[in-house]
Amino acid sequence: MLTPDTIRTATETLSDLTDYLRENPDPVEALALVEPLLDEYTGLPVQLADTLRALARAVQDHPDVPRTAQVGLLITELRTAAWEQTDQHTLHYVLDDLRALYARTPSPTLGGGQCR
């Protein structure tokens, strides 16, 4: 069952990841940790967009919510934010490009090249 505490745990994990990334970890490890967050189909932008749309629908469809212009505007704002988040789903391409760039950069500790 979901509770505010379970959601808080997820946001705390993201905060821990941010703190870790600020400590300048190895780029390969950093990319591996961030990759699930930016997955094209299940990453944070897509999940947050789906969550915002579901919240908008829940508010709109609930019988106890007043049908006012203000509520309509708030629902529209949630849906707009959802579309903006959905647009961020392409961030996985940035990770692909970073991995490719890192793979082409010679490692000073490994003698300057990839093994083939």
Side-chain angles (χ1 to χ4, degrees), residues 6 37 40 67 82 89 114:
T6 59
L37 296 176
E40 180 177 11
R67 306 287 182 236
H89 83 280
Q114 287 182 256

Side-chain angles (χ1 to χ4, degrees), residues 13-95:
T13 300
L14 285 174
S15 180
D16 291 344
L17 174 61
T18 301
D19 291 344
Y20 175 74
L21 293 173
R22 288 181 178 142
E23 296 172 4
N24 298 320
D26 176 73
V28 172
E29 184 177 345
L31 289 169
L33 290 171
V34 172
E35 186 172 10
L37 296 176
L38 298 179
D39 182 83
E40 180 177 11
Y41 302 106
T42 61
L44 269 180
V46 173
Q47 294 296 325
L48 183 56
D50 288 347
T51 299
L52 293 172
R53 277 190 282 278
L55 176 59
R57 190 175 318 107
V59 170
Q60 181 179 16
D61 293 348
H62 197 278
D64 293 340
V65 174
R67 306 287 182 236
T68 65
Q70 181 183 13
V71 170
L73 286 173
L74 294 171
I75 290 169
T76 298
E77 284 187 42
L78 286 171
R79 289 185 173 140
T80 299
W83 278 111
E84 290 170 359
Q85 287 302 309
T86 299
D87 288 344
Q88 299 302 313
H89 83 280
T90 59
L91 285 171
H92 72 278
Y93 292 123
V94 173
L95 288 182

Side-chain angles (χ1 to χ4, degrees), residues 93-107:
Y93 292 123
V94 173
L95 288 182
D96 292 343
D97 292 344
L98 283 170
R99 270 193 299 276
L101 179 65
Y102 188 74
R104 286 192 302 263
T105 303
S107 171

